[in-house]
Amino acid sequence: MPNQYVLALDQGTTSSRAILFDRQGNVVARAQKEYEQLYPQAGWVEHNPMEILYSQMNALELVLGEIKGRVNLRDIACMGITNQRETTILWDKQTGRPVYNAIVWQCRRTADMCEQLKRDGHEPLIKQRTGLVVDAYFSGTKIKWILDNVPAARELAEQSRLLFGTVETWLIWNFTGGQSHVTDYSNASRTMLFDVDKLCWDEELCALLGVPMHILPKVVPSGAMHGELAQGLIGLTELAGVPITGAIGDQPAALFGQACFSPGMAKNTYGTGCFLLMNTGTKRVQSQHNLLTGVAWSLGDEITYAIEGSAFNAGSVIQWLRDELKLVDSAERCGELAESVDSANGVYLVPAFTGLGAPYWDMYARGTMVGLTRGVNRAHIARAVIECIPWQLCDLLAAMEADAGIKFTELRVDGGASVSDIMMQLQADFSQANVNRPRVTETTALGAAYIAGLTAGVWNSKDEIEQNRQVDRVFVPQLPRQQRNELYAGWQKAVQRSLAWVES
Ligand code: ADP
């Protein structure tokens, strides 16, 4: 077997990255380009779509520079793309020019529109068809906003010249010289316009939001031939003809990159917030706890669904301790302090800085610290900060198990805060399950590479991929279940104290 390599593009919210992987899943070369965040008004977040494209091309060019003389470019079998989900771009297919900036997933400008949809009683239908709650995150209301507010968008739509895409669609369209206007099932699942059971755009929902169906991309499996890199891409001419055989949203990509291939396997990414996904197999779960469900990936005829929940504040709580309270000068120091005591001494911190998400869904909740006594010191507070992250995960996991009727088997972890041994040990103790941290933590890019490589024949089966996964460390529960249950009861009581704190 000759050396074969797979290129992965990871188009994230703050940077565009390109990584070359070998057949063993090792990183051969990587490059990253940050790009500008635009905040035109309070609560609004935009990116310049051309900057997204150029930063991504630039990162790729840097990787090419890095591997020059080391890797024969003919041995690059294929490319996979993973992306920030939901971010919405509309462009003119004749000129390739966007009609407006990309409206980023975090942007809250359509919150009122979403409230109106709920008041008008549309949420049950939307939930049932799309697996989503009605929220400004998703692309549907962002498309409507652009059509309603940018006259050029309306005009181009009337002339059938307008195209919509999430970020992977935009990149693929540009990389293929405008040949391919496609999205994969995982990204389509986040638009609020896609029927996740029938696997097609939903006419009724498109009509409800006034989205003309002809602007929507063709929906294809995550692992599929999405097109070939065109001739004449600036700086990338040597890659002309490389097939793009994988595209998948960032969180499901990480689930795949963690080799969570069987129902009940779950991964959590510990970043600013937490993103927890559990594989539910070929079964689409209808959540009773306002968790989200959708297609995680599709390879050929095989469709895998996932259930998803997130905590808004995770690593950000550690930043708060460092930057606002100035109790520690680094995230590592927070872990050391937490480790210097053997409990939080009865203190719980509920980090409801921006309200609480699943399973509580209370936008009026606010951050709360309870259980303070005269003996509490800064180490106990640091410990309560570290502990609140695994506790939030316990709530999400319990909701997922109840919804899916599946007992989760093991939690696989990644993201910036997963380097914290103490936090991972507490996660194992609190969730009474093994916590498994891989050696390669670039799981998102790796997931895209695996999807692309499986489709192109670099890997023959998911078993081969599973064998590639190298464990850095497995954290095994050490806390007796009885003790854990008592502590968890305290957490749940603390959460109750944080609910409905502000009036509006
Ligand atoms: P994002 O992708 O959301 O920007 P990252 O995956 O880069 O986030 O993770 C950054 C987060 O990880 C920060 O919020 C930081 O507080 C946390 N973090 C970084 N190092 C540590 C550490 N040693 N212990 C605990 N948390 C950490």
Side-chain angles (χ1 to χ4, degrees):
M1 175 70 76
N3 276 332
Q4 279 194 302
Y5 299 93
V6 179
L7 267 173
L9 304 185
D10 180 356
Q11 207 302 307
T13 310
T14 55
S15 72
S16 299
R17 302 189 311 158
I19 303 182
L20 187 73
F21 290 102
D22 66 14
R23 287 193 78 241
Q24 286 67 47
N26 298 313
V27 173
V28 178
R30 96 178 92 203
Q32 178 165 358
K33 291 303 278 186
E34 293 201 354
Y35 63 95
E36 199 182 354
Q37 308 292 310
L38 306 166
Y39 304 105
Q41 285 189 28
W44 290 28
V45 191
E46 297 179 0
H47 294 152
N48 178 341
M50 298 316 290
E51 228 199 311
I52 291 181
L53 175 65
Y54 292 144
S55 60
Q56 192 60 79
M57 289 172 72
N58 211 220
L60 198 47
E61 210 181 335
L62 289 171
V63 163
L64 288 186
E66 206 184 306
I67 60 176
K68 217 176 187 81
R70 278 202 291 150
V71 172
N72 186 338
L73 295 189
R74 275 195 309 248
D75 294 332
I76 297 178
C78 57
M79 187 160 104
I81 300 182
T82 181
N83 57 292
Q84 50 168 321
R85 298 175 298 173
E86 298 119 12
T87 296
T88 297
I89 305 174
L90 296 183
W91 69 96
D92 178 351
K93 71 174 161 193
Q94 277 181 21
T95 63
R97 270 206 296 274
V99 297
Y100 190 75
N101 274 337
I103 303 188
V104 178
W105 59 275
Q106 298 151 319
C107 185
R108 304 308 299 169
R109 82 182 65 193
T110 58
D112 288 347
M113 213 187 278
C114 291
E115 285 310 313
Q116 190 62 46
L117 285 170
K118 288 192 219 172
R119 276 197 298 273
D120 293 344
H122 296 300
E123 189 159 50
L125 178 79
I126 292 176
K127 268 190 186 168
Q128 187 227 327
R129 298 263 170 91
T130 68
L132 305 173
V133 296
V134 175
D135 192 275
Y137 280 136
F138 307 113
S139 315
T141 57
K142 298 183 196 290
I143 302 176
K144 179 171 167 52
W145 189 94
I146 297 178
L147 288 169
D148 289 350
N149 290 279
V150 181
R154 231 337 117 209
E155 282 160 28
L156 289 170
E158 277 158 18
Q159 299 165 33
S160 295
R161 276 175 58 177
L162 191 70
L163 298 180
F164 154 73
T166 37
V167 171
E168 93 296 359
T169 304
W170 167 245
L171 291 177
I172 292 171
W173 190 83
N174 279 286
F175 282 140
T176 60
Q179 292 299 305
S180 197
H181 184 225
V182 293
T183 188
D184 91 296
Y185 292 144
S186 75
N187 277 294
S189 293
R190 310 292 290 193
T191 56
M192 224 167 84
L193 299 171
F194 185 68
D195 185 319
V196 283
D197 292 315
K198 295 192 187 137
L199 301 173
C200 59
W201 297 119
D202 187 289
E203 242 174 90
E204 208 178 333
L205 296 181
C206 288
L208 179 65
L209 291 178
V211 174
M213 294 187 77
H214 61 81
I215 73 170
L216 301 174
K218 182 175 169 208
V219 195
V220 295
S222 323
M225 181 60 180
H226 298 282
E228 283 181 0
L229 289 196
Q231 304 279 346
L233 292 171
I234 303 157
L236 303 175
T237 46
E238 295 162 301
L239 290 178
V242 169
I244 304 169
T245 52
I248 179 167
D250 53 7
Q251 296 305 323
L255 190 68
F256 201 89
Q258 289 270 25
C260 291
F261 298 143
S262 316
M265 293 183 83
K267 75 89 200 169
N268 183 54
T269 302
Y270 296 82
T272 311
C274 278
F275 284 95
L276 174 66
L277 271 79
M278 184 166 81
N279 181 328
T280 62
T282 51
K283 189 170 123 196
R284 206 269 277 191
V285 172
Q286 190 72 55
S287 176
Q288 303 304 317
H289 297 91
N290 281 327
L291 298 171
L292 310 176
T293 61
V295 177
W297 58 77
S298 53
L299 287 163
D301 297 336
E302 179 203 302
I303 305 280
T304 300
Y305 287 93
I307 186 162
E308 170 170 347
S310 51
F312 305 142
N313 285 288
S316 58
V317 193
I318 295 169
Q319 291 169 328
W320 170 74
L321 194 77
R322 183 193 64 192
D323 301 339
E324 268 71 40
L325 295 197
K326 300 195 190 315
L327 272 188
V328 292
D329 54 17
S330 68
E332 293 75 26
R333 183 70 193 126
C334 178
E336 285 164 18
L337 257 184
E339 225 171 344
S340 70
V341 286
D342 57 13
S343 82
N345 200 2
V347 177
Y348 291 93
L349 174 84
V350 183
F353 298 148
T354 47
L356 282 176
Y360 304 102
W361 289 105
D362 183 350
M363 293 308 118
Y364 304 108
R366 283 297 175 270
T368 307
M369 203 188 300
V370 295
L372 295 174
T373 55
R374 183 65 180 77
V376 167
N377 61 34
R378 58 204 280 269
H380 297 126
I381 290 175
R383 184 144 179 137
V385 162
I386 295 273
E387 288 187 349
C388 78
I389 298 166
W391 281 135
Q392 292 185 92
L393 262 281
C394 286
D395 288 339
L396 287 172
L397 283 164
M400 271 183 192
E401 286 182 336
D403 275 341
I406 301 176
K407 179 100 190 81
F408 90 101
T409 45
E410 172 191 74
L411 185 65
R412 298 190 165 185
V413 298
D414 51 51
S418 71
V419 300
S420 167
D421 288 349
I422 167 92
M423 197 195 300
M424 295 305 105
Q425 182 57 51
L426 288 166
Q427 186 68 70
D429 287 340
F430 292 174
S431 46
Q432 294 280 297
N434 287 358
V435 168
N436 180 316
R437 186 171 64 194
R439 207 172 279 172
V440 173
T441 50
E442 298 279 7
T443 50
T444 309
L446 196 52
Y450 281 153
I451 294 268
L454 270 171
T455 309
V458 176
W459 294 284
N460 294 314
S461 68
K462 284 190 280 196
D463 290 345
E464 268 183 46
I465 287 173
E466 211 154 354
Q467 281 158 22
N468 269 353
R469 188 175 184 278
Q470 289 179 34
V471 175
D472 167 47
R473 188 164 163 191
V474 177
F475 298 85
V476 178
Q478 288 167 0
L479 188 71
R481 184 173 285 274
Q482 175 63 25
Q483 230 170 307
R484 173 268 180 197
N485 288 349
E486 284 163 21
L487 287 171
Y488 189 43
W491 164 257
Q492 290 176 309
K493 212 160 116 187
V495 169
Q496 292 307 316
R497 298 286 196 270
S498 76
L499 299 178
W501 183 256
V502 290
E503 310 284 307
S504 62

